[in-house]
Amino acid sequence: MKLNQIDGHQKWDVTVLGGGIAGLTASIYLAQAGKKVLLLDKASKLGGRGISNTIGDAYLNLGAHALYINCIEILNEVGVTVSGRVPKLSGAFILGDQFSQMKIIEAFNLFLGNHLKWKEKMEFIRFYRHIRKMDLEEINHISLEEYLNRKITSRRVKNLILAFIRVSTFTSNSELISAGVAIGQLRSAKVMYINEGWQSIVNDLIKKANQLGVTIQNSTVVSKITGTYPNINLILKNDTRINTSCLLSTINPIDFVKLIDEPISDSFLQKCNQTIPVKAACLDLVMNGLPNPKLNFALGVDQPWYFSNHSSVAKLSNKEGEIVVHLMKYLNSVNETDSEKDEVELESLLDLLQPGWRDYVISRRYLPKLIVSNDIKKPFHKLDNHLSNSDIGLEGIYIAGDWVGETELLLNASLTSAKNATKLINEKLELQLI
């Protein structure tokens, strides 16, 4: 249904801005509570960064996507059936700064061989034993860099820990991310690769939202937001006006504040302006095999690299023998890099890991600066610097997304903040009925 077919006099209980996973999840929770929900998205295809593109017979996520197990509970609550498998705990580490001097070490050999001294092996083991039982609140207020400098004496052990942190948080700036947030994510770093890509999750969400009567409008651009609860108005690019009691925004914070034509609190504006997006350079390949099929995963220790054959455990193509491979460079969020050089770097990495790989490529896609998350979760105190619904200063307007909250990251942050925001909205609307 086109938006201009909606009765202009109709009033919505809640309008959700943004049709990514957070927005779709929130719309389902609201509809489950009996609310009249409108979801708007400016893209032609719903799903945001959760979409998968079909290239031939293969499903390609936007870069390497892994689903953390701690997300499954909320996904199940909103009608998503997750299909996939946990990757094997094996692979290799890439040691060294220069390609000519790099070594590829199988994971078990790194600890059984002489690549680490006995003292370094013990320091690494003590670190992991300690973080499993420590109170993370004690280190939320300092950066990961500061924490590791206090606790780890060996540079090699520190780099190894940072490699695990990068793969679990996607963040390459250890001086910016909260130590408690980073280590908390590392502790819960059990993941799944999803059959037929993350589009299968998006499809389930859209199906459930439609079943519950959520009105979904894509290719719809909002130009201005005015008013507060219970009369919030959205003015679209085509001058259509939408009236809603509450508004939930799941779009990125910078774009969101540009739309609001009301006095937002200074603290909220300041926090939005201080967000630091997490980015990655991603080389995604559809291949008819690997020259070295035994090597399906590798992690850079001294360089911020990731390589994985996701098809080793998940079905990502309808064609027998076809696989999907992801390479990634975790980008520095402060210092810009050269996108062309990053692509050459990822190709050289694959030359090192899979010599002759070019002969196996069916199709390729390079995403030079993919936004993985809209903000790095920085160190915080009780009076924190993180964005929350209490900061906005406009009654009836709420936020959700990977940039909301204190300790959750990535999809878990999106899902958790969506659920929390809908609870606040339902409470608000129920008070109206009393």
Side-chain angles (χ1 to χ4, degrees), residues 284-303:
D284 307 320
L285 303 171
V286 181
M287 308 176 71
N288 57 18
L290 288 172
N292 179 9
K294 292 183 179 180
L295 181 58
N296 287 301
F297 178 84
L299 202 59
V301 174
D302 303 300
Q303 294 288 345

Side-chain angles (χ1 to χ4, degrees), residues 366-379:
Y366 178 55
L367 304 172
K369 294 180 181 179
L370 178 71
I371 294 179
V372 177
S373 176
N374 283 295
D375 191 24
I376 294 176
K377 297 294 175 72
K378 296 173 281 292

Side-chain angles (χ1 to χ4, degrees), residues 228-264:
T228 60
Y229 174 85
N231 287 301
I232 300 169
N233 294 292
L234 286 77
I235 303 170
L236 306 187
K237 192 174 183 180
N238 64 3
D239 291 329
T240 302
R241 299 177 72 91
I242 295 171
N243 186 243
T244 186
S245 294
C246 292
L247 172 68
L248 172 58
S249 174
T250 65
I251 66 175
N252 79 71
I254 302 300
D255 289 344
F256 175 53
V257 296
K258 289 177 182 177
L259 297 177
I260 300 180
D261 194 23
E262 297 289 344
I264 304 175

Side-chain angles (χ1 to χ4, degrees), residues 141-153:
H141 66 286
I142 62 173
S143 71
L144 175 66
E145 183 77 14
E146 182 179 351
Y147 176 74
L148 292 181
N149 285 341
R150 291 181 187 179
K151 296 293 182 179
I152 305 299
T153 58

Side-chain angles (χ1 to χ4, degrees), residues 18 84 109 130 140 169 172 275 290-291 333 337 423:
N109 280 335
H130 178 63
N140 279 334
T169 67
S172 190
T275 56
L290 288 172
S333 294
T337 59
K423 181 179 179 182

